[in-house]
Amino acid sequence: MRRRLIIALAQIPLVLAILGLLTFIGGIVGEYVVNRQDPFGESVPSNLTWLALIGLAVAAAMFLVWFVSVALLLGVQARRQGPGYGEAYRLIEAFKFEDAIPLLEQSIEEGKETVDVLMLLASAYAYAGRLAEAQKVADRAVVLYPETSAAYVTLSNVYRMQAMYDAAAEVLRRATLLEPESASNWAELGFMELYAGNESAALEAFERAAQQRMPAMYAVRVYYHLAEAYTRSGDARRAAAAAAKMVSSRDGLASWKSGLEALRGTSYGQRLAREIEAIEQALGDADASHLD
């Protein structure tokens, strides 16, 4: 919770900078409109001009504050996680899991055994096919951080890679209890409940996720499943609303597609690939009906 608060506070300068830019643009447009209405008037800076300049100054100052805040946060993270954490993260994004593992192991040897390092190391082991080692790291994350939802998410990811969907759902329930405002945790719980065959529990989790703001990558899957569930139950109004939200968040599907290569050959990867195909079909149907 503290980490999320810090990240949220770091976004305040960016928001103020954007407001400053909008003020600047509004002032310039307003000045143009006024001068156009009275082209022969005295050419002196009006209040709108000063407002625009103030907006520009605020935007410049806030952008500077934002960049400094981000740099400080990255510096703090590097000290907490170890110098290899950032590089390991980039390697994992490039699917170079075996290359990332030594960097993360070094961070742990240096005493940087944080939940983030353990989470990344467990993921690297799992994607590299070293599931026994991934399980050991994930179990340790839960032992060290029993009150941190990320530890249970880490463990659920390892269970998921082993197609142990009931076990994954069980630990995700613990994560939602620890962080009930996390839409991503509820979404992940819904996915695992669905894969485990617990459709009613999955629907409940998806509806909880939909009560909060979701990144597009979660929203597109959650609203697809909600639209399907509401259609089966005959609730056309809610099905249409969910389908519209699925379409509006369609860009999020690219995040899941980009990770399929790393999941090649796993049961979970095959399930996810079929689900993505079904969502793409639903999006295509929605586009076709809109054109009609």
Side-chain angles (χ1 to χ4, degrees):
M1 188 68 182
R2 179 174 174 270
R3 178 183 174 186
R4 294 180 64 179
L5 178 60
I6 292 173
I7 293 174
L9 290 174
Q11 301 305 312
I12 292 176
L14 182 60
V15 173
L16 292 176
I18 293 172
L19 291 175
L21 282 176
L22 292 175
T23 301
F24 170 71
I25 294 170
I28 293 297
V29 172
E31 183 70 16
Y32 171 76
V33 171
V34 170
N35 288 335
R36 189 176 181 182
Q37 292 174 348
D38 186 15
F40 301 106
E42 187 178 357
S43 181
V44 295
S46 69
N47 290 335
L48 290 173
T49 300
W50 290 114
L51 180 64
L53 292 174
I54 291 171
L56 183 62
V58 169
M62 289 301 102
F63 273 123
L64 178 61
V65 170
W66 183 74
F67 282 121
V68 171
S69 299
V70 170
L72 290 174
L73 285 173
L74 290 175
V76 170
Q77 184 184 58
R79 286 194 296 272
R80 289 186 66 245
Q81 318 292 11
Y85 178 84
E87 180 61 23
Y89 193 92
R90 286 188 288 273
L91 288 169
I92 288 176
E93 285 190 322
F95 301 157
K96 298 180 179 179
F97 307 114
E98 290 288 358
D99 293 337
I101 289 171
L103 296 175
L104 295 166
E105 290 176 333
Q106 182 181 352
S107 291
I108 291 176
E109 290 173 2
E110 294 173 352
K112 310 294 185 180
E113 199 172 16
T114 66
V115 67
D116 293 312
V117 170
L118 291 170
M119 188 172 189
L120 210 58
L121 180 57
S123 297
Y125 276 138
Y127 284 118
R130 298 161 63 173
L131 294 174
E133 291 163 289
Q135 185 72 57
K136 182 178 179 181
V137 173
D139 288 337
R140 181 161 178 76
V142 170
V143 170
L144 292 178
Y145 302 98
E147 299 303 318
T148 304
S149 70
Y152 295 91
V153 172
T154 300
L155 183 57
S156 75
N157 290 342
V158 175
Y159 284 141
R160 181 183 65 188
M161 292 291 287
Q162 300 174 77
M164 300 170 62
Y165 304 125
D166 278 314
E170 183 178 351
V171 295
L172 281 168
R173 291 186 205 108
R174 175 63 177 170
T176 60
L177 289 174
L178 290 170
E179 199 174 0
E181 74 281 4
S182 172
S184 60
N185 284 353
W186 283 109
E188 290 286 3
L189 174 58
F191 302 148
M192 293 302 99
E193 293 282 19
L194 192 65
Y195 283 12
N198 306 321
E199 293 188 5
S200 59
L203 177 59
E204 181 181 350
F206 289 144
E207 288 179 333
R208 288 293 300 268
Q211 291 173 8
Q212 304 170 61
R213 288 188 59 185
M214 282 184 288
M217 65 177 291
Y218 285 110
V220 67
R221 290 179 67 189
V222 166
Y223 285 117
Y224 164 75
H225 290 299
L226 285 176
E228 290 290 297
Y230 293 147
T231 299
R232 288 193 298 270
S233 66
D235 193 336
R237 182 183 62 81
R238 295 174 76 184
K245 291 180 179 179
M246 173 193 68
V247 171
S248 67
S249 57
R250 67 192 308 160
D251 291 345
L253 202 60
S255 298
W256 300 105
K257 292 176 68 175
S258 66
L260 285 178
E261 181 63 30
L263 298 168
R264 184 185 296 274
T266 66
S267 176
Y268 169 66
Q270 294 169 4
R271 290 284 300 267
L272 180 59
R274 290 195 294 271
E275 181 184 342
I276 289 173
E277 289 178 3
I279 295 174
E280 288 182 320
Q281 181 62 52
L283 289 169
D285 292 343
D287 290 340
S289 64
H290 180 71
L291 290 175
D292 292 341

